[in-house]
Amino acid sequence: SSPSRSRQSLGTKLPGHASQIAMLCRAAPLPRTCARHVTALGRAPNLSRAVASHVLVRRSRRSISWHPAESPRRAAAAATPARVACRHWRATAFCPTHGVRAASSQTSQEGKKLPAPPRPKEELLRDTKHHDVPVRRKAVKGLGKHTGDDEAIDAIAFALGDEDVAVQLAAQYAMGKVADKGDERTVRKTLEQVRSKCEWTRIAALSTLADITAEFGHPTRGTPLDLEVDAAVEAKLEDEDWGVRRAAMDTAAERAEPNCQKVIAAARKLLEDQMGTVRESAIKAIASLVPRGNREAIDWIAPRLDDWHESVRRAAVVAIAKIAEKGDQHAIELEKSACDDRSWIVRKAATDSLAKTATLNDLASVRKLARMLEDFDPLPRMAAIYGLAELCGVGHRKAIRLAEERLEHRDPGTRQACVQLLEKIATNDLEEIMRKVEARMEDEDEHVRDSAYYALENIKKTPPGRKRWISDLPDLSDLDRIGFESSDDEEDQKDERW
């Protein structure tokens, strides 16, 4: 059909075109990510020829990859083995028209996929100047695979000053991969960016220094270059930009030796900073450096429990739990007071902290945690459920009694929380508890009914006796890192390696 007719009929004939494509490829219906390529093919003068020339199918995953041609000559030249050049799906595939199967990914003798070879360096260096952010980001990250290459290090260091934060994060990641920790080339290039006039570049460079310099005691520490890093980080603690001050505090704490008095003194000074995020970083730095049980450090941090910034109050109560010894009554009283904070973020953190610091026989703390089951926000209630279960364990009669007393609470969220707590700590010899949980299956709230059903099933399986309850929740303590590397790995798997 003519181009104009193709454009007119695009809206009505695309389903038919999709069926034609699926028939040619013997594949499942089109993936949603290929919609833009289907539209591009729909505008072609001869749709059938375009489909036959450009549809590539990888039968192992039943997925479709597209390589729209720039000209008919290029379509004819596509009959030679080559890798698919699609931004979304770089699949090794079989072409129904040309009968070409591209080389598959290399596998080891054990059948596992080998690491992908790096993209050509010249291509990556060119893409670091691309106008599109995702292209620059991917190119900078790819340069991290060219280990020890001076040109790659220079390009990554330059990307630390990129206008987009996603590219800066990729540069920070790549700088940690392109050479060993403490390598003079990466440290010196990053140190140059710390002196940049742009505050975003200074922040990125300081954060990168924390990643690429080794911990205290490493052979690279104490060298003249390392002393330059210390001086630069210390100077940025008084930077005019609050983001730079925060990054400098984080980097100084990361590089410092345990109980380093110089860094601790700098952190104490920043506890009075005008910006809440800087105060938050100072609290975290103190908690990471002082020895456990340091009562003086708890007293430094305690006033921040009344800070106007909720993230500072949250950091303070978490730091107190990290510093305090188990059973420290001073810390427990501070955590109990924070459980009544106006912010649910702080109440949730305080509930978690109280469960960590309190002891099994501390009935006052157990009662306070039980009262948190009545919180009007679901996250502090969840923290109370898991905190009581981990602190008291299975078969703890006092905790079971406290949950039983609230099974008929006016708030359905509290009733559900008590049912979920009994699911974890009640045993099958408690017939009265089982009867009351079964009665909640007739509750007016559907969520309570649902939780009661599963709670009763688990209680029936739990034999009598006392034992420790182990949480089934994943460790989310390092949320800043979770997802960055894993998402890139998934992207690489989809892209089918260069």
Side-chain angles (χ1 to χ4, degrees):
S1 61
S2 64
S4 60
R5 184 175 179 183
S6 176
R7 284 194 294 269
Q8 293 171 0
S9 61
L10 183 61
T12 58
K13 287 197 173 183
L14 267 180
H17 298 162
S19 300
Q20 181 184 12
I21 293 168
M23 179 182 66
L24 281 171
C25 303
R26 298 178 182 176
L30 290 176
R32 184 170 56 183
T33 53
C34 295
R36 70 170 68 180
H37 300 293
V38 175
T39 304
L41 291 175
R43 295 193 180 100
N46 190 331
L47 180 65
S48 299
R49 183 176 179 183
V51 169
S53 301
H54 305 297
V55 174
L56 299 175
V57 179
R58 181 159 49 131
R59 291 179 176 174
S60 62
R61 291 189 183 177
R62 298 178 65 80
S63 59
I64 299 176
S65 294
W66 306 86
H67 183 180
E70 297 177 0
S71 65
R73 289 184 180 180
R74 185 168 179 178
T80 57
R83 293 183 184 273
V84 181
C86 172
R87 283 183 58 189
H88 301 284
W89 300 50
R90 303 188 189 280
T92 54
F94 175 78
C95 176
T97 303
H98 305 119
V100 174
R101 183 178 296 276
S104 59
S105 301
Q106 295 181 352
T107 57
S108 64
Q109 294 180 354
E110 293 80 7
K112 297 180 181 180
K113 278 192 174 183
L114 296 175
R119 286 172 56 188
K121 183 181 69 175
E122 293 73 17
E123 189 175 320
L124 292 171
L125 292 173
R126 183 187 68 240
D127 283 352
T128 58
K129 308 293 184 182
H130 199 275
H131 63 86
D132 196 7
V133 170
V135 177
R136 293 203 306 275
R137 175 190 172 276
K138 203 165 187 178
V140 170
K141 182 174 178 291
L143 285 172
K145 295 183 178 180
H146 290 270
T147 308
D149 189 279
D150 290 339
E151 286 185 303
I153 293 173
D154 291 343
I156 294 170
F158 182 81
L160 288 172
D162 194 273
E163 62 184 9
D164 194 276
V165 68
V167 181
Q168 290 180 320
L169 287 172
Q172 180 180 341
Y173 170 84
M175 193 66 86
K177 298 291 184 181
V178 76
D180 294 332
K181 280 196 171 187
D183 188 280
E184 183 178 352
R185 295 168 297 173
T186 58
V187 174
R188 191 170 295 282
K189 287 293 181 181
T190 306
L191 193 58
E192 292 174 3
Q193 294 288 48
V194 174
R195 306 183 184 98
S196 172
K197 294 182 179 180
C198 174
E199 64 272 17
W200 295 103
T201 303
R202 298 199 298 273
I203 293 170
L206 286 167
S207 300
T208 305
L209 283 175
D211 292 341
I212 66 175
T213 55
E215 296 179 354
F216 185 82
H218 192 270
T220 59
R221 297 298 302 271
T223 61
L225 179 60
D226 187 68
L227 295 177
E228 287 184 40
V229 174
D230 285 336
V233 173
E234 183 180 355
K236 296 306 174 185
L237 289 171
E238 299 180 359
D239 195 273
E240 61 183 9
D241 184 82
W242 64 267
V244 179
R245 296 197 300 273
R246 177 180 180 173
M249 186 72 264
D250 292 339
T251 302
E254 185 77 18
R255 288 171 43 82
E257 63 177 316
N259 202 24
C260 177
Q261 295 302 313
K262 186 176 182 180
V263 177
I264 291 174
R268 288 187 63 188
K269 183 178 178 181
L270 290 181
L271 285 175
E272 304 297 332
D273 193 272
Q274 62 180 344
M275 293 302 296
T277 51
V278 180
R279 299 195 296 274
E280 180 184 354
S281 288
I283 291 170
K284 293 178 179 177
I286 292 173
S288 66
L289 293 175
V290 299
R292 191 170 180 86
N294 190 319
R295 178 66 67 86
E296 189 179 14
I298 294 176
D299 292 336
W300 297 336
I301 295 171
R304 294 299 103 201
L305 290 173
D306 296 323
D307 197 279
W308 66 269
H309 202 297
E310 64 180 9
S311 69
V312 177
R313 300 197 301 274
R314 177 189 178 277
V317 73
V318 171
I320 288 172
K322 186 175 182 180
I323 297 171
E325 295 279 5
K326 190 81 168 174
D328 186 331
Q329 286 302 313
H330 178 54
I332 288 173
E333 292 303 320
L334 292 173
E335 291 160 355
K336 284 181 182 178
S337 66
C339 285
D340 299 323
D341 193 272
R342 60 186 178 275
S343 170
W344 68 265
I345 295 174
V346 181
R347 294 198 305 275
K348 194 268 183 188
T351 306
D352 287 331
S353 300
L354 180 59
K356 292 177 182 177
T357 310
T359 57
L360 179 62
N361 298 322
D362 186 356
L363 295 182
S365 297
V366 173
R367 291 191 189 98
K368 184 62 177 179
L369 289 171
R371 281 197 294 273
M372 294 306 295
L373 294 170
E374 302 176 19
D375 196 278
F376 55 85
D377 193 275
L379 289 179
R381 292 199 302 267
M382 179 179 290
I385 294 169
Y386 281 86
L388 278 168
E390 291 178 340
L391 174 62
C392 300
V394 177
H396 192 283
R397 295 304 176 98
K398 184 61 178 180
I400 292 172
R401 183 62 59 189
L402 290 169
E404 180 187 3
E405 292 173 356
R406 293 168 171 79
L407 280 176
E408 296 184 5
H409 195 274
R410 64 182 181 278
D411 180 27
T414 298
R415 297 198 299 273
Q416 183 186 18
C418 293
V419 167
Q420 291 173 336
L421 175 58
L422 290 172
E423 175 186 356
K424 296 170 174 52
I425 64 176
T427 55
N428 57 16
D429 61 330
L430 303 175
E431 296 181 0
E432 182 65 16
I433 295 295
M434 293 174 64
R435 185 187 64 78
K436 290 186 176 182
V437 171
E438 186 175 10
R440 290 299 99 203
M441 293 173 64
E442 303 297 330
D443 195 276
E444 61 182 10
D445 187 87
E446 62 177 334
H447 302 292
V448 179
R449 297 196 300 269
D450 186 62
S451 296
Y453 172 81
Y454 291 106
L456 188 61
E457 292 296 315
N458 282 326
I459 293 172
K460 290 179 180 178
K461 298 176 183 177
T462 306
R466 294 277 286 115
K467 65 178 180 179
R468 182 185 174 193
W469 185 84
I470 300 176
S471 174
D472 55 354
L473 289 179
D475 182 15
L476 302 178
S477 58
D478 196 6
L479 283 176
D480 291 338
R481 291 290 182 185
I482 292 176
F484 184 75
E485 296 186 14
S486 61
S487 60
D488 286 331
D489 293 341
E490 293 169 4
E491 184 180 322
D492 288 341
Q493 291 174 5
K494 289 182 181 179
D495 285 351
E496 257 307 314
R497 316 297 189 188
W498 286 82

